[in-house]
Amino acid sequence: MKSIFIYIVLAVLSVLFYDCSFSVGNKYQRYADFPVNRKLVVAEEIDCDDIFLRYPYRVEIMDSLAVVLDLHPDSCFLHAFTYPEWRYVTSFGRRGEGPEEILSAERVRICSPDSVWVLDSNRRQITRWRISNCNAERAEEISLDDRLIRTLDFCKTADGFLVTDYTGNYRYHVLDQHGKIIQSVGHVPSEKDVDDSDKPALSQAWRSFMDYNPKNGVLAIVTQLGEVVELFNLKTGEHKVYYGPGGEPVFSVLASEAMPKGIKGFNDVVVSDSCIYAIFDGTPFKDRINSLRSGRKLSAGGNNIYVFGLDGYPLKKMSTECSAFGIEFIRGNIYIVGNDKDIPLYSYKCP
């Protein structure tokens, strides 16, 4: 009898807790807060003395190889290191307009030392690089489907790629190994009615970052403006959308272009085997405008790491002293990359 009573109490408490975390009065579920809030202490500062990084933006790690992407380099976009020693290996992806140079690198994905994939949004192509013996060899070029509009993010799958959509008609596309669209999935999960003429601006405002984990089949998509998290389980077909306190992206339309308002949202996302980690900013755009007018400098990246379950349930909110653009998770360590200080990379032990 006592055990039944305890079970009932726990069930009631779980329902109350769920209601505090989520509200379902709107089209999509809302989360209000995280049950755990912590401040992270830097475990290690990773100083890349061998290279000069102007605008460190992304870090990708797979097994014994790490690659840092510099968004606005003097010479090369990408820099390879050994992991976990962080010994410099080589720089590659030279910036330029030559036939084997890169115009703009947006994202790097590592499958193996023989398969380091780089998205060049301006050239509309994804290239594969082979890293060995302190050298990087450009091994393959894949031209993206002409129907795609300036692809800004991608994930590698066993059979091809996943890329974000910027037509305003879909959420993402599935590409084959030759870069051709074989499936277009979903739609922008806005709760507002948008005319077809405003869809290009809608897609700009809903620009998102993505990550995919082939082990559990979860694709996570998070918005650069506002605070929206989407989860697609490519194994089960399940799709979930969660709005945070920042709500959906806020914008006005000027000459078919989206003018951002509201807040700066997520900067990056990574799907681990058991959780989803995302860098969140949350600074109102009006504060950024006021800071520019007054000569104050705000952090360029985000100072919060949000942790969600693979079902989208909010688990933890962790604050950091260093603002970040990119995030990676491997072997219980969180790595963030940003350009607020002279040290481009920081690691944290995941609590």
Side-chain angles (χ1 to χ4, degrees):
M1 187 69 180
K2 183 178 179 181
S3 61
I4 294 176
F5 175 76
I6 293 174
Y7 174 82
I8 293 173
V9 170
L10 290 174
V12 171
L13 288 174
S14 66
V15 170
L16 290 173
F17 179 77
Y18 185 89
D19 288 342
C20 290
S21 299
F22 283 101
S23 62
V24 292
N26 303 89
K27 183 176 180 181
Y28 300 113
Q29 293 189 19
R30 261 74 171 164
Y31 62 86
D33 201 354
F34 291 80
V36 177
N37 286 263
R38 292 182 178 174
K39 185 172 183 179
L40 293 181
V41 177
V42 173
E44 181 183 6
E45 296 181 352
I46 301 167
D47 189 359
C48 305
D49 282 335
D50 298 280
I51 56 171
F52 172 67
L53 295 170
R54 291 184 60 190
Y55 202 95
Y57 185 61
R58 292 287 185 254
V59 58
E60 184 87 359
I61 303 171
M62 172 66 73
D63 298 330
S64 60
L65 178 65
V67 175
V68 177
L69 187 155
D70 189 345
L71 198 62
H72 302 297
D74 285 327
S75 56
C76 293
F77 282 99
L78 301 135
H79 309 277
F81 300 84
T82 62
Y83 181 82
E85 302 84 7
W86 292 99
R87 289 196 300 268
Y88 175 70
V89 177
T90 188
S91 296
F92 62 103
R94 181 168 295 279
R95 181 178 183 174
E97 299 181 4
E100 294 206 352
E101 295 177 326
I102 291 178
L103 290 177
S104 62
E106 298 286 347
R107 174 71 83 171
V108 57
R109 302 290 188 183
I110 304 174
C111 295
S112 71
D114 286 341
S115 296
V116 179
W117 300 88
V118 180
L119 170 64
D120 186 340
S121 57
N122 284 353
R123 283 195 188 275
R124 300 172 60 87
Q125 69 178 198
I126 296 174
T127 55
R128 180 172 66 87
W129 298 76
R130 184 179 294 117
I131 310 296
S132 63
N133 300 324
C134 298
N135 287 310
E137 176 190 356
R138 189 178 174 114
E140 186 177 358
E141 295 179 0
I142 296 174
S143 297
L144 297 177
D145 198 301
D146 291 339
R147 291 169 288 177
L148 296 172
I149 297 177
R150 201 168 189 272
T151 301
L152 295 174
D153 206 349
F154 83 105
C155 298
K156 186 71 181 73
T157 67
D159 302 317
F161 309 90
L162 306 173
V163 300
T164 46
D165 171 77
Y166 292 98
T167 66
N169 295 315
Y170 306 102
R171 202 65 184 109
Y172 71 93
H173 302 281
V174 182
L175 310 184
D176 64 16
Q177 59 184 340
H178 305 294
K180 302 302 181 183
I181 297 175
I182 57 176
Q183 185 182 8
S184 298
V185 181
H187 61 273
V188 175
S190 174
E191 293 184 333
K192 301 175 182 178
D193 294 328
V194 178
D195 294 334
D196 288 345
S197 60
D198 289 336
K199 280 189 175 181
L202 177 74
S203 66
Q204 292 171 24
W206 278 77
R207 185 212 167 165
S208 300
F209 304 112
M210 66 193 314
D211 192 47
Y212 171 65
N213 188 321
K215 292 183 180 179
N216 50 41
V218 174
L219 168 67
I221 299 179
V222 297
T223 56
Q224 187 180 31
L225 306 181
E227 188 176 349
V228 182
V229 178
E230 283 182 83
L231 302 179
F232 295 84
N233 191 311
L234 274 57
K235 291 185 177 180
T236 65
E238 189 174 18
H239 174 220
K240 295 183 177 180
V241 180
Y242 301 109
Y243 277 40
E248 69 174 277
V250 179
F251 65 101
S252 58
V253 181
L254 179 63
S256 298
E257 297 288 328
M259 300 293 107
K261 299 163 69 175
I263 66 168
K264 178 85 164 47
F266 293 96
N267 287 338
D268 197 12
V269 62
V270 61
V271 181
S272 75
D273 293 347
S274 59
C275 296
I276 296 163
Y277 299 84
I279 293 287
F280 186 73
D281 188 330
T283 305
F285 275 96
K286 63 180 181 181
D287 289 356
R288 292 198 176 276
I289 294 172
N290 291 335
S291 69
L292 289 173
R293 289 173 178 171
S294 63
R296 293 185 298 112
K297 183 180 179 182
L298 295 179
S299 296
N303 289 84
N304 297 293
I305 299 174
Y306 286 0
V307 185
F308 302 91
L310 295 178
D311 57 358
Y313 197 86
L315 300 178
K316 298 177 187 175
K317 175 182 177 181
M318 302 182 290
S319 62
T320 65
E321 293 182 358
C322 311
S323 66
F325 293 112
I327 185 170
E328 177 67 296
F329 177 86
I330 185 171
R331 302 172 191 171
N333 294 312
I334 298 172
Y335 291 88
I336 66 170
V337 55
N339 65 0
D340 277 357
K341 298 183 179 180
D342 294 333
I343 305 298
L345 282 163
Y346 297 86
S347 74
Y348 299 87
K349 291 292 184 182
C350 187

